Amino acid sequence: MSDTSAAAAPDTEIVARVRGATKSYPGVTALDHADFEIRAGEVRALLGRNGAGKSTLIRLLSGVEAPDEGEIEIGGRPLGQGGIRQAAKLGVGTVYQELSLVPQLSAAENLYLGSWPTGGGRVDYGAMRAGAEEVFAELGVAISSDTRVHELPLAQQQLVEIARAFRARPRLLILDEPTSALAAAEAEAVLEAVTRVASRGVGVIYVSHRLDEIRRVADTVTVMRDGAVVETVPVRGATTGRIVSLMLGHGGGEKEPAPRRRAPAAASAAPLLSVRDLAVPPKVESVSFDLHPGEVLGLGGLMGSGRTELLRALAGFTPSRGTVEVDGSPVAHPTPRTMRRLGVGITPEDRKGEGVVPLLGVSENMVMTWFGGASRAGTVLPSRVSSIGRDLIGRLSIKAASPDTPIVNLSGGNQQKAVIGRWLHAGSRILLLDEPTRGVDVEAKAQIYAIVRELAEQGAAVLFVSSELEELPLVCDRVLALRGGRLRGEFTGDDITLDNIMAAAMAA
């Protein structure tokens, strides 16, 4: 294992150094004796699969948490137990994936949030505007300092976040997936701003899985795996295959799961769902595929690839362009009601926010999409709701004290099974599963895989979307790789491997 910067000159100041950092949580070692350093003016990309330790390393450098073992230095001074305030004082600025702006305030007010310039006991708005415009000019950002943040497009809101961190003149700027919510054209301004920040001597840690962006903006790339820093290599000359190999750990005894083979019946049957040139601006450019009865079709893509936008369009929640056919018949204007009547069901990525009504019972959550069988003469009968709930709870092996137990009391895996059960009750033939195993334990994942396979064997057509690419070979008959709003690869049989999927999802 190594961590040597190939881009910055050896005599350039080391702005941040991590020595032997270890961080553990109950049941897991998130960071294992990690060593890391970055120099002034260097842009360091940070790559790794989910759970590799990237977020933990960022939290330690930002002062959000302290290591159990090891040392962290910023500008040659120990961070110690000083926390976020000490990290900021030493020169660390962090821009997280989720925006933290106040939408109703102006761009200038957001830049100076918590440290407004004053004069005569009042906020000096003139000084604030002048300071904001100076920062924007340094970053090459064309934003009016008086514009309310909620009036700005998402890309410019992201630039305001970066400008706010840059205004404090940091030694180290950490950017966590700054373009994940942006289309390629929108990301351009962010990449230019990152280059300008680095040109002023700031070390930048750039977390992203978009290799085209990394090749544009980064000097070096550090790959993490299983809580350890595996290697740091120059971006120039680092092939996609080399990076994927470092992320997956080939040669270290890790084996990929045996791929599934596409069911012959699915290959020959007429498609239940046909999609042609589907576009959901700005994230999905043009996507075409068929989904057959009895088939589990995987859709693999990294953050910001357009996965969720595509599924929401197919379910009728998001306006789109292109052609969608169900059972050979075109759907002129897909809406949630229309698609539901045609047998399309969706489990959303945000299970807690969009998938369940927390205080309602398990059975109530499972019948709420379609009250057929649970009502008589237009009146919903609680006894029938409970009866349907008991049947689905048994069928899906949901662990609940009773059908009336509030669904919020169930584990994540059991909540997810209940959301799938909702569409079984509705008789859906086409299931759009968006991150169906996110936030569930290993046992629950295996149970959800089994449910998905059983549904396919009964003739359902399943579109299984996941950012955890390693699970796609376990459950899918065919896999499509999505990157930048377009399909970049299709894999069947023995070609459904983690290497192939990840390379297609990441390649520049």
Side-chain angles (χ1 to χ4, degrees), residues 357-416:
V357 181
L359 298 182
L360 290 184
V362 180
S363 56
E364 292 171 302
N365 269 275
M366 288 194 287
V367 304
M368 64 192 317
T369 298
W370 181 65
F371 288 105
S375 61
R376 184 175 62 192
T379 300
V380 176
L381 303 178
S383 60
R384 292 191 179 182
V385 172
S386 294
S387 176
I388 291 169
R390 277 192 295 272
D391 178 64
L392 288 169
I393 286 171
R395 181 178 173 185
L396 299 175
S397 299
I398 297 172
K399 294 181 181 178
S402 80
D404 301 324
T405 300
I407 200 167
V408 70
N409 293 344
L410 272 59
S411 68
N414 285 299
Q415 288 182 21
Q416 187 66 63

Side-chain angles (χ1 to χ4, degrees), residues 438-493:
R438 172 171 289 177
V440 308
D441 59 36
V442 174
E443 180 183 6
K445 281 188 176 185
Q447 291 172 346
I448 290 172
Y449 297 157
I451 290 169
V452 169
R453 292 307 316 174
E454 181 182 349
L455 293 173
E457 289 166 5
Q458 294 171 358
V462 182
L463 185 58
F464 190 101
V465 173
S466 179
S467 59
E468 296 184 25
L469 305 182
E470 59 269 26
E471 70 179 350
L472 296 178
L474 295 173
V475 70
C476 298
D477 303 306
R478 183 164 56 108
V479 175
L480 305 174
L482 184 67
R483 185 182 77 252
R486 289 181 177 271
L487 296 180
R488 309 292 182 170
E490 178 177 346
F491 308 101
T492 59

Side-chain angles (χ1 to χ4, degrees), residues 23 32 45 108 120 129 139 148 153 161 207 209 223 227 268 270 287 307-308 323 348 376 390-391 409 428 430 440 470:
K23 184 67 180 179
D32 187 8
R129 292 189 193 96
L139 296 179
R148 303 290 174 186
E161 283 272 17
V207 182
H209 284 101
V223 178
S268 59
V287 168
R307 307 179 316 256
T308 295
T323 303
R376 184 175 62 192
R390 277 192 295 272
D391 178 64
N409 293 344
S428 299
I430 301 170
V440 308
E470 59 269 26

Side-chain angles (χ1 to χ4, degrees), residues 24-284:
S24 298
Y25 303 99
V28 62
T29 299
L31 210 60
D32 187 8
H33 296 90
D35 295 323
F36 179 90
E37 65 179 38
I38 180 172
R39 296 179 179 272
E42 178 185 3
V43 179
R44 174 74 61 84
L46 190 60
L47 276 174
R49 291 159 65 181
N50 292 340
K54 304 186 302 296
S55 296
T56 303
L57 180 62
I58 288 172
R59 287 197 295 270
L60 298 187
L61 286 166
S62 303
V64 175
E65 298 184 32
D68 300 329
E69 300 177 28
E71 300 174 347
I72 296 176
E73 295 179 356
I74 307 297
R77 298 174 61 187
L79 177 58
Q81 303 289 324
I84 298 174
R85 187 166 296 181
Q86 177 68 4
K89 184 178 179 181
L90 293 176
V92 180
T94 306
V95 177
Y96 293 100
Q97 179 186 338
E98 299 295 331
L99 297 177
S100 60
L101 304 173
V102 180
Q104 293 75 21
L105 296 182
S106 69
E109 288 171 320
N110 272 278
L111 252 66
Y112 283 86
L113 201 62
S115 58
W116 291 325
T118 58
R122 296 182 178 182
V123 175
D124 189 340
Y125 282 95
M128 186 188 304
R129 292 189 193 96
E133 288 168 5
E134 180 182 346
V135 173
F136 288 147
E138 282 190 76
L139 296 179
V141 175
I143 296 176
S144 170
S145 61
D146 290 325
T147 304
R148 303 290 174 186
V149 162
H150 69 83
E151 298 173 355
L152 295 172
L154 188 58
Q156 292 192 338
Q157 291 185 32
Q158 185 68 70
L159 289 169
V160 172
E161 283 272 17
I162 294 174
R164 181 168 67 183
F166 181 66
R167 188 191 68 81
R169 304 301 170 185
R171 284 189 171 92
L172 174 67
L173 179 61
I174 302 172
L175 303 177
D176 187 5
E177 296 279 5
T179 62
S180 63
L182 307 180
E186 296 174 310
E188 187 66 29
V190 174
L191 298 180
E192 291 179 0
V194 172
T195 301
R196 286 175 178 259
V197 168
S199 71
R200 283 155 175 75
V202 179
V204 179
I205 295 176
Y206 190 88
V207 182
S208 176
H209 284 101
R210 294 182 173 183
L211 283 189
D212 51 345
E213 292 182 3
I214 288 173
R215 297 191 194 284
R216 282 274 317 280
V217 76
D219 304 302
T220 50
V221 54
T222 290
V223 178
M224 298 189 68
R225 187 177 70 245
D226 299 331
V229 173
V230 178
E231 193 168 350
T232 296
V233 297
V235 168
R236 181 176 297 177
T239 64
T240 300
R242 168 69 170 152
I243 292 173
V244 169
S245 179
L246 288 172
M247 291 173 64
L248 300 184
H250 293 332
E254 179 179 327
K255 294 183 179 180
E256 293 188 27
R260 298 192 58 87
R261 295 186 180 277
R262 186 178 179 190
S268 59
L272 272 181
L273 177 69
S274 293
V275 179
R276 294 292 179 270
D277 300 319
L278 188 73
V280 190
K283 297 302 289 295
V284 180

